[in-house]
mmCIF file of all heavy atoms in Angstrom:
data_model
loop_
_atom_site.group_PDB
_atom_site.id
_atom_site.type_symbol
_atom_site.label_atom_id
_atom_site.label_comp_id
_atom_site.label_asym_id
_atom_site.label_seq_id
_atom_site.Cartn_x
_atom_site.Cartn_y
_atom_site.Cartn_z
ATOM 1 N N GLU A 8 9.358 4.905 -9.686
ATOM 2 C CA GLU A 8 10.486 4.683 -10.507
ATOM 3 C C GLU A 8 11.843 4.800 -9.397
ATOM 4 O O GLU A 8 12.005 5.818 -8.866
ATOM 5 C CB GLU A 8 10.728 5.773 -11.485
ATOM 6 C CG GLU A 8 11.941 5.554 -12.454
ATOM 7 C CD GLU A 8 12.077 6.464 -13.526
ATOM 8 O OE1 GLU A 8 11.348 7.469 -13.397
ATOM 9 O OE2 GLU A 8 12.960 6.441 -14.280
ATOM 10 N N THR A 10 15.752 3.788 -8.723
ATOM 11 C CA THR A 10 17.152 3.493 -9.415
ATOM 12 C C THR A 10 18.245 3.112 -8.471
ATOM 13 O O THR A 10 18.618 4.005 -7.518
ATOM 14 C CB THR A 10 17.656 4.842 -10.269
ATOM 15 O OG1 THR A 10 16.450 5.198 -11.139
ATOM 16 C CG2 THR A 10 18.804 4.494 -10.983
ATOM 17 N N SER A 30 16.145 -1.673 -8.634
ATOM 18 C CA SER A 30 15.514 -0.742 -9.500
ATOM 19 C C SER A 30 14.194 -1.270 -10.021
ATOM 20 O O SER A 30 14.159 -2.455 -10.531
ATOM 21 C CB SER A 30 16.408 -0.434 -10.881
ATOM 22 O OG SER A 30 17.687 0.100 -10.415
ATOM 23 N N VAL A 31 13.163 -0.623 -9.669
ATOM 24 C CA VAL A 31 11.776 -0.969 -10.014
ATOM 25 C C VAL A 31 10.980 0.044 -10.621
ATOM 26 O O VAL A 31 11.079 1.260 -10.031
ATOM 27 C CB VAL A 31 11.107 -1.526 -8.659
ATOM 28 C CG1 VAL A 31 9.706 -1.961 -9.009
ATOM 29 C CG2 VAL A 31 11.801 -2.687 -8.134
ATOM 30 N N GLY A 43 9.525 -12.848 -1.384
ATOM 31 C CA GLY A 43 10.956 -13.180 -1.046
ATOM 32 C C GLY A 43 10.980 -13.812 0.316
ATOM 33 O O GLY A 43 10.017 -13.554 1.256
ATOM 34 N N MET A 53 9.340 -2.253 0.834
ATOM 35 C CA MET A 53 8.055 -1.705 1.113
ATOM 36 C C MET A 53 8.070 -0.399 1.883
ATOM 37 O O MET A 53 7.279 0.521 1.611
ATOM 38 C CB MET A 53 7.242 -2.747 1.769
ATOM 39 C CG MET A 53 5.701 -2.532 1.840
ATOM 40 S SD MET A 53 4.994 -2.851 0.257
ATOM 41 C CE MET A 53 3.276 -3.016 0.604
ATOM 42 N N THR A 63 19.504 4.553 1.806
ATOM 43 C CA THR A 63 20.860 5.091 2.033
ATOM 44 C C THR A 63 21.430 5.805 0.867
ATOM 45 O O THR A 63 22.061 6.805 0.933
ATOM 46 C CB THR A 63 21.810 3.833 2.520
ATOM 47 O OG1 THR A 63 21.140 3.169 3.594
ATOM 48 C CG2 THR A 63 23.171 4.401 2.818
ATOM 49 N N PHE A 94 -2.860 -2.985 6.021
ATOM 50 C CA PHE A 94 -1.931 -3.822 6.767
ATOM 51 C C PHE A 94 -2.570 -5.108 7.067
ATOM 52 O O PHE A 94 -3.800 -5.170 7.136
ATOM 53 C CB PHE A 94 -1.538 -2.971 8.036
ATOM 54 C CG PHE A 94 -0.836 -1.720 7.930
ATOM 55 C CD1 PHE A 94 -1.512 -0.519 7.914
ATOM 56 C CD2 PHE A 94 0.504 -1.794 7.572
ATOM 57 C CE1 PHE A 94 -0.986 0.734 7.781
ATOM 58 C CE2 PHE A 94 1.148 -0.479 7.424
ATOM 59 C CZ PHE A 94 0.528 0.671 7.513
ATOM 60 N N GLN A 107 -15.644 6.742 11.361
ATOM 61 C CA GLN A 107 -14.625 7.687 11.902
ATOM 62 C C GLN A 107 -13.198 7.114 11.448
ATOM 63 O O GLN A 107 -12.308 7.931 11.361
ATOM 64 C CB GLN A 107 -14.833 7.680 13.435
ATOM 65 C CG GLN A 107 -16.048 8.344 13.905
ATOM 66 C CD GLN A 107 -16.404 8.271 15.340
ATOM 67 O OE1 GLN A 107 -16.047 7.120 15.979
ATOM 68 N NE2 GLN A 107 -16.992 9.207 16.071
ATOM 69 N N ASN A 108 -13.037 5.736 11.568
ATOM 70 C CA ASN A 108 -11.711 5.212 11.162
ATOM 71 C C ASN A 108 -11.461 5.703 9.643
ATOM 72 O O ASN A 108 -10.301 6.009 9.372
ATOM 73 C CB ASN A 108 -11.802 3.795 11.288
ATOM 74 C CG ASN A 108 -11.278 3.311 12.576
ATOM 75 O OD1 ASN A 108 -10.072 3.299 12.867
ATOM 76 N ND2 ASN A 108 -12.125 2.731 13.464
ATOM 77 N N PHE A 114 -9.133 13.982 8.017
ATOM 78 C CA PHE A 114 -8.810 14.917 9.105
ATOM 79 C C PHE A 114 -7.286 15.304 9.242
ATOM 80 O O PHE A 114 -7.085 16.557 9.583
ATOM 81 C CB PHE A 114 -9.052 14.069 10.457
ATOM 82 C CG PHE A 114 -8.857 14.919 11.794
ATOM 83 C CD1 PHE A 114 -9.757 15.883 12.102
ATOM 84 C CD2 PHE A 114 -7.714 14.650 12.471
ATOM 85 C CE1 PHE A 114 -9.510 16.538 13.327
ATOM 86 C CE2 PHE A 114 -7.508 15.483 13.663
ATOM 87 C CZ PHE A 114 -8.348 16.504 14.122
ATOM 88 N N GLU A 187 -12.104 -13.298 -0.627
ATOM 89 C CA GLU A 187 -13.113 -12.211 -0.829
ATOM 90 C C GLU A 187 -12.343 -10.733 -0.873
ATOM 91 O O GLU A 187 -12.610 -10.003 -1.671
ATOM 92 C CB GLU A 187 -14.184 -12.231 0.273
ATOM 93 C CG GLU A 187 -15.225 -13.340 0.257
ATOM 94 C CD GLU A 187 -16.055 -13.393 1.346
ATOM 95 O OE1 GLU A 187 -15.808 -12.612 2.395
ATOM 96 O OE2 GLU A 187 -17.125 -14.241 1.403
ATOM 97 N N HIS A 216 -0.528 -8.455 -11.704
ATOM 98 C CA HIS A 216 0.012 -8.489 -13.098
ATOM 99 C C HIS A 216 1.369 -8.949 -13.215
ATOM 100 O O HIS A 216 1.955 -9.576 -14.221
ATOM 101 C CB HIS A 216 0.010 -7.159 -13.705
ATOM 102 C CG HIS A 216 -1.357 -6.460 -13.702
ATOM 103 N ND1 HIS A 216 -1.599 -5.073 -13.408
ATOM 104 C CD2 HIS A 216 -2.639 -6.970 -13.966
ATOM 105 C CE1 HIS A 216 -2.818 -4.770 -13.608
ATOM 106 N NE2 HIS A 216 -3.447 -5.943 -13.805
ATOM 107 N N LEU A 222 15.839 -11.401 -3.254
ATOM 108 C CA LEU A 222 16.748 -12.454 -2.600
ATOM 109 C C LEU A 222 17.950 -11.710 -2.284
ATOM 110 O O LEU A 222 18.695 -10.930 -3.164
ATOM 111 C CB LEU A 222 17.018 -13.606 -3.497
ATOM 112 C CG LEU A 222 17.868 -14.793 -2.786
ATOM 113 C CD1 LEU A 222 17.168 -15.346 -1.590
ATOM 114 C CD2 LEU A 222 18.352 -15.748 -3.837
ATOM 115 N N ILE A 230 8.085 -12.299 -12.513
ATOM 116 C CA ILE A 230 7.161 -13.095 -13.303
ATOM 117 C C ILE A 230 6.108 -12.181 -13.787
ATOM 118 O O ILE A 230 5.396 -11.418 -13.009
ATOM 119 C CB ILE A 230 6.503 -14.179 -12.244
ATOM 120 C CG1 ILE A 230 7.693 -15.080 -11.806
ATOM 121 C CG2 ILE A 230 5.413 -14.982 -12.930
ATOM 122 C CD1 ILE A 230 7.141 -16.176 -10.768
ATOM 123 N N HIS A 231 5.862 -12.327 -15.067
ATOM 124 C CA HIS A 231 4.848 -11.505 -15.782
ATOM 125 C C HIS A 231 3.701 -12.467 -16.223
ATOM 126 O O HIS A 231 3.909 -13.381 -17.074
ATOM 127 C CB HIS A 231 5.362 -10.920 -17.018
ATOM 128 C CG HIS A 231 6.399 -9.776 -16.750
ATOM 129 N ND1 HIS A 231 6.048 -8.384 -16.778
ATOM 130 C CD2 HIS A 231 7.602 -9.802 -16.279
ATOM 131 C CE1 HIS A 231 7.116 -7.707 -16.428
ATOM 132 N NE2 HIS A 231 8.081 -8.523 -16.150
ATOM 133 N N LYS A 240 21.590 -9.337 -14.875
ATOM 134 C CA LYS A 240 22.703 -9.304 -14.039
ATOM 135 C C LYS A 240 23.507 -7.845 -14.214
ATOM 136 O O LYS A 240 23.522 -7.328 -15.305
ATOM 137 C CB LYS A 240 23.702 -10.385 -14.273
ATOM 138 C CG LYS A 240 23.065 -11.849 -14.093
ATOM 139 C CD LYS A 240 22.615 -11.940 -12.578
ATOM 140 C CE LYS A 240 22.048 -13.310 -12.381
ATOM 141 N NZ LYS A 240 21.634 -13.551 -10.919
#
Side-chain angles (χ1 to χ4, degrees):
E8 184 176 6
T10 305
S30 299
V31 175
M53 192 73 162
T63 303
F94 300 98
Q107 291 168 327
N108 267 288
F114 178 77
E187 291 172 351
H216 301 143
L222 184 66
I230 295 176
H231 293 255
K240 299 295 184 181

